Every structure is written in structure tokens, then in C-alpha cells.
Amino acid sequence: MRQESGFLFDTAVPQPKRLWSLHKIVTVVPLSVGVALGATIAAIIILNARIAIEEETASAFRTAQATIAVRMPPSFARADTMGEAMQIAHEIDALRHVSAHVVDNKGTPLLNPSASVSMEDVEAPGWFTWLMRPEVKADYFTISHYPNVLGSLVVETDPTDEISEVWEDFRIIMPLLALTCIALIGMSMGFSNLILRRLHRVQDALGAMRHGDLERRAPPDHLVEFASLADDVNALAIHLKSQRAENEHLQTRLLTLAETERAKIASDLHDDMGPQLFALNAALSQAIAAARDVSGSGAAQLDDALRAISTHTDAVRDSARSAINDLRPMLMGCGSLQELLGELVAEFTEIAPEVTIDLDCKNQVAADELAETAIYRFVRESLLNAIRHGKAQRIRIEMHLAEDLIVTKVRDDGRGPSGRLPSRGHGLTGIRDRARALGASFDPPRRVGAETVTELRMPAR
Ligand SMILES: Nc1ncnc2c1ncn2[C@@H]1O[C@H](COP(=O)(O)OP(=O)(O)OP(=O)(O)O)[C@@H](O)[C@H]1O
Ligand SMILES: [Mg+2]
């Protein structure tokens, strides 16, 4: 349980084991999905293109093999076999997906393989070519002119042009995909900011309400969901406000009832005990007068006994007065608040003559009896605390009207509150309860420079 602004809050609500941030989720999730999507699409493009390149180059290679096999002149023909082989190599080399060239018996190329990549083709970077290039297939056709072997016609698979084509698509698709992902992340972050901004506004309103400001309202919103959330929060604030008003009303009624009851008890005590004490005193006076005529051995004892009875009677009368005054200050309703406080100061000066008590009350202040009684009790308890706990030598009571508030401050030069755990005393608690019931605010004793200040601000009604 946690106490804030006088209210008790139950913090024992089960918390989820792990808390997630919406902002992080909307940043990390689209980023991870984007990266995964990009990687998957890239892998699919590369794999499919690899298979296609492999199949196409293999097919072109087989066609080239068949063409060479058909067109290669036999070794015993009287033709220019080398020239024809070179012509075939040139034609095959011009085809897509294959390259061909002629080498002599030592393996030195006689016909430079022509570049299979046209000028318009964009050359793919090394890593991409490495990823796409299938295993190279090669075949050697012997060029001979009986009885001599002149060289070989070499035919090989050549996927360079196909790889260049795939690369051209790839280099457009991948940046587009990256841009789409960035746009998606930006959009989801934008949405999250939009939601979080609205949530913060509602949160601010809730925070203010939690600190007691029930006039604060969640702002209206154009989004249906947030508008309904704001409506709910505002309805809660209105409900709390009405509950608080009802509470205060009940507390005021309770206080009124309690004060009335106390006043009645005080009056009953006064009316019952007053005549009885008076009769007792009168009878005692008579007994003392009669005892003067008594002589003999028991006279001194009787005199002592009557004096003891007189002392105890005075003590009972003082106790009864003090109890009645405690229940309801006797002068309440018989004078102004300033006069009552003046009487109080005089009483305390009598009890503790070593303490200097000043009363500074410049303007005439007045409130209903309930409020005046609360101020009176506040000053009495503060004086008592300053002398009892603070061991003060000088106390100053200040009372003035500030707008519609009666501000009463009690300053003392004592040692101030110890700062330890609050005691089990009822004094400050009683003042706080009365203040709340009457819509007043109470500041318990606090150090201000070298002084201890206790303050009560009571609405002047
Ligand atoms: N002027 C003061 N100077 C120093 N300490 C103070 C002063 N006023 C209050 N205190 C401290 O605050 C505590 C609470 O005061 P409170 O009046 O509520 O209880 P109490 O005086 O101990 O008991 P009770 O008033 O019920 O007889 C005191 O015990 C004291 O430690
Ligand atoms: Mg006290």
C-alpha cells in the first residue's frame, strides 16, 4: 500500500513478468520482417536464376556440341579444316550462353574468344557472379588434317550474359524492396508516435487526477478509440469528484455531529457537576466552620481531614473544568476568535511562564463556529506540541486573512520534529481530519530556517 496526497493506493496489482515498449516493437518488428523478407526474396531470385542459368547454358552447350559434331570437317577431307574450325568457333562464340575458341596443340588460343557480354550489358559484381555461376562445362573437338593434328576447338558454357541480365533485375528489385521496408518502418514509427503522444496526454491527465486535481480532463480526440478513452477517463474524474464531494460532506456532517455531541456532553457535565460541586463546597465550608468549635483530642485530625477534602474538591473541580473545556472551549460563541486565542495564550503563559507567547492577529477574522473551533484546537495543539516536544522558549501565533482563507501559523524556536517515524499521537491526526472535513489545508510542523512552522489555511465562511 502506498500513500499519496492523503489517499491510499493499492499497488498489489499483479505486474506482467516482462514489460515491452510499443515504440521498440514497431521499430524492431518491421525492421526484422523487412530484413527477413529481403533476404528471402534475394535467395529465391538467386536460386531460381541459378537453376535457369544452369539449364539454359546446358541446353546451349548441347546444341553447340551437336552443331560442331555435324559441321566439323573430317580429317581426311581435302578442305581447310583449321579455317573451317575457326569459322565454326566464331559462329558458336556469337551464340548466347556458350563460348568457343581454337587452340593449337600446345593449348595456345588461336582465336581470341569474343566478349560474350554486349556493350549494353552491365557487368555483375564479382560476388554476384560467384553466387550465380554454375559449374563450367567444356568439350574439346580435335582439328586434324590427315595425318596431322592441328589443334582443338574448345567449346565452354558461358553464363556471363545471363548473369548480367539477372543482375540488372536484381539491382533494381533489391533497392526497391529496401525502400519499401524503410517506408513501412517509417509509417509504423509514425503511427506509434501518434498513439504514444495521445496516450501521454491521457496519462498526464490521469497523473494530475492521481495527485488530487480532479478538475483536469483528458483532451478530446479525433480518433474514435482515443476519444472514447478520454470520455471514460473524464467520466471517472467526474465520478471521483462527486465521491470526493460526498466524502467531504459526510466528514463535515460527522464533525458537526461530533462537535454537537461534545458540546452536549460538556454542557451536561457542567450542569450536573456544577451544582453538585457548589453544594459540596458549601457543605465543606459549613463543616470547616463547625469544626472550629470542636475541641479535644480529635479536633486536629478533623481539621486535617477537612483540609484534605477541600484540596481534593478543588482538584475535582479543576479536572471537570479542564475536561469540559477540552470537550468544548468554554468561551466558544462568547467572543471573537482573537479574544479566544488571547485567553488561550494567557492560560499557556500561566502554565509555562518561562515561554514567551506572542499573538499577532492584525485583521478581524471570523468564520462559522465549526471553523473557529478547528482553528482554536489547531493553535492549542500546536502550542502544546511546541512546548512539550520542541522545548520552545518563544512561540508566535500569526493569523491573517488572505483572500478568502484564514491563514494561521504557529512558529516556535524549539528543536523541531525529530524526523523519525511519526508518533502514535492523535494531535496532528485530529487537526488533519478536521481540516479535510472543513475543506481546509494543513501543513504539519516543518523546519523553516531556525524555526518550526505549523500552518492551517481555513476557508472563511
Ligand atoms: N512544534 C513541534 N516541535 C517538535 N516536534 C513536534 C512539534 N509538533 C509536533 N511534533 C512532533 O510530532 C509528533 C506528533 O505530534 P502529535 O501532536 O500528533 O502527537 P503527540 O503530541 O505526540 O501526542 P498527543 O498530541 O496525542 O498527545 C510529536 O510526537 C512530535 O515528535
Ligand atoms: Mg500533540
Side-chain angles (χ1 to χ4, degrees), residues 24-70:
K24 269 191 195 154
I25 290 174
V26 298
T27 313
V28 173
V29 170
L31 188 69
S32 319
V33 170
V35 170
L37 196 72
T40 312
I41 289 176
I44 290 170
I45 290 176
I46 290 171
L47 274 176
N48 277 347
R50 238 187 109 108
I51 292 167
I53 288 170
E54 205 159 354
E55 280 173 1
E56 282 184 34
T57 50
S59 153
F61 183 70
R62 280 195 299 276
T63 310
Q65 275 178 314
T67 308
I68 295 168
V70 170

Side-chain angles (χ1 to χ4, degrees), residues 88-295:
I88 293 167
H90 185 72
E91 285 173 23
I92 295 288
D93 198 48
L95 295 175
R96 282 165 60 80
H97 311 327
V98 280
S99 69
H101 59 278
V102 175
V103 292
D104 62 16
N105 288 331
K106 289 178 191 149
T108 314
L110 297 180
L111 179 71
N112 279 339
S114 59
S116 56
V117 181
S118 71
M119 288 310 280
E120 296 109 54
D121 282 342
V122 178
E123 202 172 332
W127 63 269
F128 190 77
T129 310
W130 177 80
L131 276 175
M132 304 291 283
R133 185 179 286 280
E135 202 186 326
V136 176
K137 288 182 185 161
D139 202 358
Y140 290 80
F141 293 87
T142 312
I143 306 166
S144 55
H145 193 272
Y146 189 80
N148 302 320
V149 173
L150 305 174
S152 301
L153 193 159
V154 185
V155 62
E156 288 174 339
T157 51
D158 181 12
T160 320
D161 47 0
E162 192 66 26
I163 291 174
S164 296
E165 273 176 30
V166 177
W167 170 246
E168 268 197 69
D169 291 343
F170 193 81
R171 73 179 183 151
I172 292 169
I173 290 170
M174 290 320 283
L176 268 180
L177 200 68
L179 276 177
T180 313
C181 283
I182 290 168
L184 275 177
I185 293 167
M187 261 166 63
S188 58
M189 282 174 76
F191 274 124
S192 105
N193 278 339
L194 191 95
I195 290 169
L196 289 178
R197 253 205 321 271
R198 282 167 162 78
L199 275 181
H200 283 151
R201 289 213 297 254
V202 176
Q203 235 175 356
D204 284 349
L206 279 172
M209 289 170 199
R210 209 178 71 179
H211 287 100
D213 179 8
L214 295 183
E215 296 301 326
R216 182 74 177 267
R217 294 285 175 269
D221 207 296
H222 294 298
L223 296 179
V224 182
E225 292 78 3
F226 283 96
S228 117
L229 180 65
D231 284 349
D232 287 350
V233 168
N234 293 340
L236 181 68
I238 292 167
H239 176 71
L240 281 176
K241 201 178 153 194
S242 76
Q243 291 288 309
R244 181 194 270 181
E246 199 179 314
N247 232 350
E248 280 169 1
H249 179 65
L250 276 176
Q251 276 181 328
T252 313
R253 273 187 59 192
L254 271 179
L255 190 67
T256 315
L257 283 175
E259 288 296 345
T260 315
E261 193 68 12
R262 288 169 75 107
K264 190 170 175 310
I265 296 169
S267 157
D268 287 354
L269 259 179
H270 178 267
D271 293 353
D272 288 352
M273 288 187 83
Q276 287 163 5
L277 279 170
F278 179 76
L280 186 64
N281 263 325
L284 190 62
S285 301
Q286 281 174 7
I288 291 171
R292 278 195 206 108
D293 299 335
V294 177
S295 56

Side-chain angles (χ1 to χ4, degrees), residues 276-350:
Q276 287 163 5
L277 279 170
F278 179 76
L280 186 64
N281 263 325
L284 190 62
S285 301
Q286 281 174 7
I288 291 171
R292 278 195 206 108
D293 299 335
V294 177
S295 56
S297 58
Q301 260 180 318
L302 180 63
D303 194 49
D304 286 347
L306 285 173
R307 274 180 210 289
I309 291 170
S310 170
T311 313
H312 292 315
T313 308
D314 287 348
V316 169
R317 187 199 55 214
D318 290 347
S319 298
R321 267 193 197 152
S322 148
I324 291 167
N325 198 36
D326 208 36
L327 283 165
R328 180 178 189 264
M330 265 187 271
L331 291 172
M332 219 72 216
C334 302
S336 69
L337 187 57
Q338 287 92 320
E339 286 165 353
L340 288 176
L341 294 181
E343 282 295 323
L344 190 66
V345 170
E347 260 175 51
F348 269 92
T349 312
E350 213 173 283

